[in-house]
């Protein structure tokens, strides 16, 4: 199995894991599995099988157990995703303030089905459950950061600015 | 504005920094508590009649008193910041506006319970809020509020933030513990209760964010005074978070005797319904709570008052739907959530939640048959017959949370379900209401 990390990433992984493991009792290293998976995703953008083996080794558990955790939680990506993940809440409070329209609008604008990534690899669009910002509905998150009181116009501007940012970096 | 004892400093510039918090008298309650014996602190919390603000409303002092005094094992405090009940966002705003009340509350609880390690389990989606807490914790270490000897008392306390990764079930306290131990968030059979055998098999108290953040207030104004502000069995004030079809959605600190009708309509609070429309239905305590009709809104938003009506104060999430909203659509959307979030451990919930969702979708899309309504209710009853609340057949309350609202919607708005079936269509031009049409086009 290929190594999941570059030498630089491995160094960061080892360093951060040491800090994470220090939060738990010596004989309870498995408790670090969730933070470890967040760390992997932070570095690689998703969680490949090889990285799960690495997490299991650090947390003194089995790759099977790590896989069980990685597949249980919706925030972990088990395949590569777009540069930005847009999660649109359509739960009751957001839907009462137009979330379905917002989601349909974004789908049309990006030209993707739910769960899909745009051809340029820039956006993955997902329908999401309640995010806990219901007083500012409708809401969406880009890469786990909130955008509240959304309108169709604000959504357009958001997409344009993210596109512009990406173009600048090229 | 009514008497505010918890939120009076929210949105003041700088209050959410440690300097700002200290300027308003922050950490004086902790000093007071550290001069008391731990048992006296637990007793005081009992006297205050503080009830858990996460959903179940269990008396906090009583929960604390279940922790064995003579256990040789370490004890843990877990703060439940996995706020995920649809409609609920009070803890998020609290963590943004008042992170140091939470920090001070953690220190107070740790002294009372003999805890040296506390974890704040925060839902993964609250990334920015986790960063706020991380910073607040670092500030507290720097000021000696946490660390080897908190405020030179000799009491050691370490506090860590632990991020979830997207699973509603982890808000259930034993699901939270399994998640914190590095597993999937499957709830545990009780007993043993966490107070006896919780995190890593050790005595553990799991308390909601608002519950813990209320402790400094209780010791500032005094537990008796705190109790006297509330109702007979529910001390103090409480936070509600209102969403949906109101003019002023938001987090409000309300007196326990405020009715839902006044909360929604009074200018002091939510200021009525947009467009002057009438309210049709209100979910009083998060999407797990049975829906109330407009006629039922003259009940106080308080634990016991709701309990006698076979309802619940829940997580404080008040979801308002006006007269243009389709109740079948609302029930379907809520039911879709529970079908998605059922953890898969217990058969009635794993199989029943998607089944209810499919029947509701069928009715909403105009394909419903007369027998579907009875089938829907029978599936719901097999998970948790309602009323009353609490007869569920599953390990945790997610089954109840999914089955109870479905039965309440059918019971109270049966005519709408029957109309859908009779007319083979949804009769509402905009199923989520007129406002859903307007608001995103602004």
């Amino acid at each position: 199995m290929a190594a999941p990390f570059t030498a630089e990433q491995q160094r960061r992984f080892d360093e951060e894991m040491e800090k994470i493991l220090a939060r738990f009792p010596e004989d309870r290293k498995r408790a670090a599995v969730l933070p470890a998976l967040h760390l992997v995703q932070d570095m690689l953008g998703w969680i490949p099988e090889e990285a799960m083996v690495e997490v299991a080794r650090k947390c003194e558990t089995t790759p099977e157990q790590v896989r069980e955790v990685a597949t249980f939680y919706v925030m972990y990506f088990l395949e590569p995703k777009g540069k930005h993940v847009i999660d649109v809440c359509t739960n009751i409070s957001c839907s009462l303030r137009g979330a379905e329209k917002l989601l349909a609008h974004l789908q049309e604008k990006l030209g993707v089905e739910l769960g899909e990534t745009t051809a340029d690899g820039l956006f993955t669009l997902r329908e999401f459950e309640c995010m806990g910002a219901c007083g500012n509905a409708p809401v969406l998150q880009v890469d786990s950061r909130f955008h509240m009181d959304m309108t169709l116009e604000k959504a357009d501007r958001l997409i344009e600015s993210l596109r512009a940012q990406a173009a600048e970096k090229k | 504005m009514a008497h505010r004892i918890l939120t009076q400093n929210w949105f003041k510039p700088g209050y959410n920094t440690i300097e700002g918090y200290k300027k308003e008298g922050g950490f004086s309650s902790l000093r007071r508590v550290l001069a008391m014996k731990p048992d006296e602190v637990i007793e005081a919390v009992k006297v205050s009649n503080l009830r858990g603000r996460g959903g179940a409303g269990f008396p906090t002092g009583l929960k604390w008193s279940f922790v064995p005094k003579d256990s040789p094992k370490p004890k843990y405090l877990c703060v439940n910041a996995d706020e995920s009940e649809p409609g609920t966002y009070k803890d998020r705003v609290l963590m943004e506006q008042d992170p140091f009340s939470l920090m001070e509350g953690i220190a107070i609880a740790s002294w009372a319970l003999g805890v040296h390690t506390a974890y704040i389990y925060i839902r993964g989606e609250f990334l920015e809020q986790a960063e706020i807490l991380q910073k607040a914790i670092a500030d507290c270490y720097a000021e000696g509020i946490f660390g080897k000897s908190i405020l030179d008392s000799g009491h050691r306390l370490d506090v860590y933030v632990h991020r979830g990764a997207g699973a509603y079930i982890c808000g259930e306290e034993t699901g939270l513990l399994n998640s914190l131990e590095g597993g999937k968030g499957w709830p545990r059979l009780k007993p043993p209760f966490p107070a006896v055998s919780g995190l890593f098999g050790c005595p553990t108290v799991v308390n909601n964010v608002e519950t813990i953040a209320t402790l400094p207030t209780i010791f500032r104004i005094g537990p008796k005074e705190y109790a006297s502000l509330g109702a007979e069995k529910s001390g103090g004030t409480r936070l509600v978070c209102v969403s949906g079809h109101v003019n002023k959605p938001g987090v409000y600190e309300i007196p326990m005797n405020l009715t839902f009708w006044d909360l929604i309509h009074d200018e002091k609070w939510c200021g009525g319904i947009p467009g002057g429309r009438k309210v049709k239905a209100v979910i009083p305590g998060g999407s797990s709570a049975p829906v109330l009709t407009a006629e039922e809104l003259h009940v106080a938003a308080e634990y016991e008052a709701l309990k006698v009506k076979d309802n619940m104060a829940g997580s404080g999430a008040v979801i308002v739907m006006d007269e243009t909203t389709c109740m079948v659509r609302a029930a379907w959307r809520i039911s879709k959530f529970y079908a998605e979030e059922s953890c898969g451990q217990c058969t009635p919930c794993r199989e029943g939640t998607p089944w209810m969702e499919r029947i509701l979708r069928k009715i909403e899309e105009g394909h419903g048959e007369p027998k579907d309504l009875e089938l829907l209710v029978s599936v719901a009853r097999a998970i948790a017959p309602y009323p009353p609340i609490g007869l569920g057949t599953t390990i945790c309350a997610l089954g109840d949370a999914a089955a109870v609202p479905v039965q309440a919607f059918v019971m109270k708005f049966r005519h709408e379900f029957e109309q859908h079936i009779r007319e083979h269509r949804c009769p509402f031009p905009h199923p989520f209401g007129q406002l859903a049409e307007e608001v995103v086009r602004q």
Side-chain angles (χ1 to χ4, degrees):
Chain A
M1 206 177 265
F5 306 131
T6 62
E8 167 112 6
Q9 285 168 336
Q10 185 72 48
R11 209 163 30 242
R12 182 178 158 204
F13 183 71
D14 291 343
E15 261 176 44
E16 299 271 333
M17 280 309 296
E18 202 169 310
K19 283 187 245 166
I20 292 168
L21 286 164
R23 301 176 203 160
F24 307 105
E26 266 298 298
D27 57 341
R28 299 289 183 169
K29 292 198 165 70
R30 200 185 73 146
V33 168
L34 268 75
L37 290 173
H38 278 306
L39 175 60
V40 169
Q41 186 156 295
D42 223 31
M43 296 194 305
L44 305 180
W46 65 293
I47 303 168
E49 207 78 38
E50 295 82 358
M52 294 186 204
V53 176
E54 195 63 14
V55 168
R57 199 175 54 82
K58 282 273 188 215
C59 300
E60 294 179 4
T61 181
T62 62
E64 291 74 20
Q65 209 144 31
V66 174
R67 182 158 224 292
E68 181 183 77
V69 171
T71 53
F72 185 81
Y73 298 91
V74 299
M75 288 182 73
Y76 296 134
F77 283 84
L78 304 181
E79 49 191 69
K81 55 179 167 55
K83 183 170 165 35
H84 300 293
V85 177
I86 304 178
D87 290 327
V88 182
C89 173
T90 62
N91 208 308
I92 181 87
S93 297
C94 278
S95 279
L96 291 169
R97 297 182 87 96
E100 287 191 332
K101 292 224 151 34
L102 177 66
L103 182 62
H105 180 77
L106 280 166
Q107 247 180 288
E108 201 188 308
K109 185 166 178 80
L110 299 174
V112 288
E113 294 297 316
L114 295 181
E116 284 184 0
T117 301
T118 52
D120 59 5
L122 208 48
F123 301 106
T124 301
L125 181 67
R126 301 195 300 176
E127 182 180 17
F128 219 72
E129 290 299 349
C130 184
M131 297 170 182
C134 326
N136 298 87
V139 298
L140 57 81
Q141 285 196 330
V142 179
D143 307 327
S144 299
R145 293 186 190 271
F146 278 110
H147 295 262
M148 300 184 182
D149 299 307
M150 291 304 292
T151 60
L152 305 187
E153 196 198 319
K154 273 165 107 172
D156 287 344
R157 270 186 276 142
L158 176 64
I159 299 295
E160 294 316 326
S161 81
L162 290 169
R163 276 181 181 153
Q165 254 177 44
E168 219 167 88
K169 278 192 189 144
K170 275 182 192 166
Chain B
M1 191 60 82
H3 198 42
R4 284 163 65 188
I5 50 173
L6 200 62
T7 58
Q8 69 279 8
N9 294 316
W10 285 21
F11 298 99
K12 273 190 197 165
Y15 176 67
N16 54 6
T17 64
I18 195 159
E19 296 78 26
Y21 185 69
K22 279 161 94 180
K23 219 177 282 171
E24 298 292 343
F27 304 115
S28 58
S29 292
L30 176 59
R31 276 174 223 284
R32 200 163 297 150
V33 162
L34 290 172
M36 294 164 70
K37 290 198 181 77
D39 279 348
E40 293 171 350
V41 181
I42 295 176
E43 196 47 42
V45 174
K46 278 189 187 166
V47 167
S48 78
N49 278 342
L50 174 65
R51 299 176 67 150
R53 303 289 196 243
F58 195 81
T60 305
L62 190 60
K63 195 179 211 181
W64 287 12
S65 69
F66 296 152
V67 175
K69 303 261 179 294
D70 49 2
S71 169
K73 295 175 176 174
K75 296 166 193 156
Y76 293 101
L77 172 68
C78 295
V79 178
N80 188 343
D82 192 59
E83 182 168 62
S84 311
E85 172 77 11
T88 316
Y89 57 97
K90 64 182 178 69
D91 294 336
R92 177 183 57 79
V93 179
L94 192 158
M95 290 186 284
E96 291 168 357
Q97 293 302 322
D98 195 6
F100 291 98
S101 279
L102 178 60
M103 298 302 144
E104 186 175 1
I106 289 171
I108 290 171
S110 82
W111 174 254
L113 297 164
V115 158
H116 299 294
T117 307
Y119 297 99
I120 306 174
Y121 185 101
I122 186 168
R123 65 179 296 184
E125 292 86 351
F126 284 178
L127 179 60
E128 292 157 293
Q129 292 70 25
E131 289 166 357
I132 290 170
L133 296 181
Q134 207 75 64
K135 167 85 169 62
I137 290 171
D139 290 347
C140 285
Y141 272 103
E143 298 269 335
I145 307 293
F146 300 158
K148 288 201 176 70
S149 171
I150 69 174
L151 293 178
D152 300 320
S153 62
H155 182 74
R156 178 177 61 79
L157 174 62
D158 288 310
V159 182
Y160 306 104
V161 174
H162 194 90
R163 286 179 65 213
Y168 169 70
I169 194 62
C170 295
E172 199 279 342
E173 62 177 5
T174 60
L176 183 152
L177 296 174
N178 276 343
S179 179
L180 187 48
E181 289 182 4
K184 57 188 179 196
W186 274 16
R188 301 173 182 173
L189 263 178
K190 296 188 268 194
F193 288 90
V196 176
S197 178
L199 186 65
F200 308 133
C202 299
T204 303
V205 166
V206 185
N207 280 148
N208 166 265
V209 167
E210 182 191 343
T211 312
I212 292 289
T214 299
L215 295 170
T217 296
I218 291 174
F219 289 95
R220 190 181 71 243
I221 68 175
K224 279 194 190 130
E225 170 70 11
Y226 184 83
S228 73
L229 292 172
E232 195 194 340
K233 290 183 181 170
S234 319
T237 57
R238 65 184 288 244
L239 299 181
V240 291
C241 35
V242 188
S243 63
H245 299 155
V246 288
N247 280 319
K248 293 184 286 176
V251 178
Y252 295 95
E253 180 180 356
I254 62 164
M256 293 284 180
N257 63 359
L258 185 71
T259 67
F260 287 100
W261 183 270
D262 289 345
L263 172 65
I264 292 162
H265 292 96
D266 202 311
E267 265 318 307
K268 270 197 318 205
W269 310 99
C270 298
I273 316 280
R277 287 182 285 268
K278 292 195 179 70
V279 59
K280 181 196 267 187
V282 173
I283 295 169
S287 65
S288 308
V291 64
L292 293 170
T293 63
E295 294 72 39
E296 292 174 313
L297 295 179
H298 298 279
V299 58
E302 182 266 326
Y303 300 86
E304 295 300 316
L306 282 158
K307 198 173 160 190
V308 298
K309 303 261 183 201
D310 288 319
N311 214 307
M312 60 195 238
S315 62
V318 179
I319 306 169
V320 181
M321 294 172 268
D322 75 18
E323 57 188 332
T324 61
T325 317
C326 170
M327 293 297 101
V328 179
R329 183 63 151 247
W332 169 29
R333 185 58 189 87
I334 289 170
S335 148
K336 189 174 158 205
F337 170 75
Y338 293 105
E340 169 73 28
E341 296 296 338
S342 175
C343 79
Q345 186 172 199
C346 310
T347 309
C349 176
R350 182 186 64 235
E351 303 302 321
T353 51
W355 197 358
M356 292 192 297
E357 189 268 330
R358 286 195 300 271
I359 299 169
L360 283 162
R361 182 176 35 165
K362 185 180 168 194
I363 297 172
E364 171 64 5
E365 290 179 344
H367 309 299
E369 302 161 68
K371 61 174 200 248
D372 285 336
L373 218 41
E374 295 328 307
L375 177 63
L376 176 63
V377 172
S378 82
V379 174
R381 288 186 64 82
I383 306 172
Y386 170 80
I389 294 172
L391 300 179
T393 56
T394 50
I395 287 174
C396 85
L398 194 149
D400 301 67
V404 165
V406 167
Q407 291 167 82
F409 269 108
V410 174
M411 201 188 303
K412 296 180 184 187
F413 296 98
R414 195 176 184 96
H415 56 282
E416 285 196 22
F417 289 79
E418 286 171 348
Q419 191 186 355
H420 279 71
I421 293 169
R422 206 169 49 240
E423 296 181 8
H424 298 291
R425 66 180 187 116
C426 173
F428 293 87
H430 309 299
F432 281 113
Q434 184 64 37
L435 189 70
E437 277 302 296
E438 297 160 3
V439 77
V440 285
R441 298 201 190 282
Q442 278 162 10

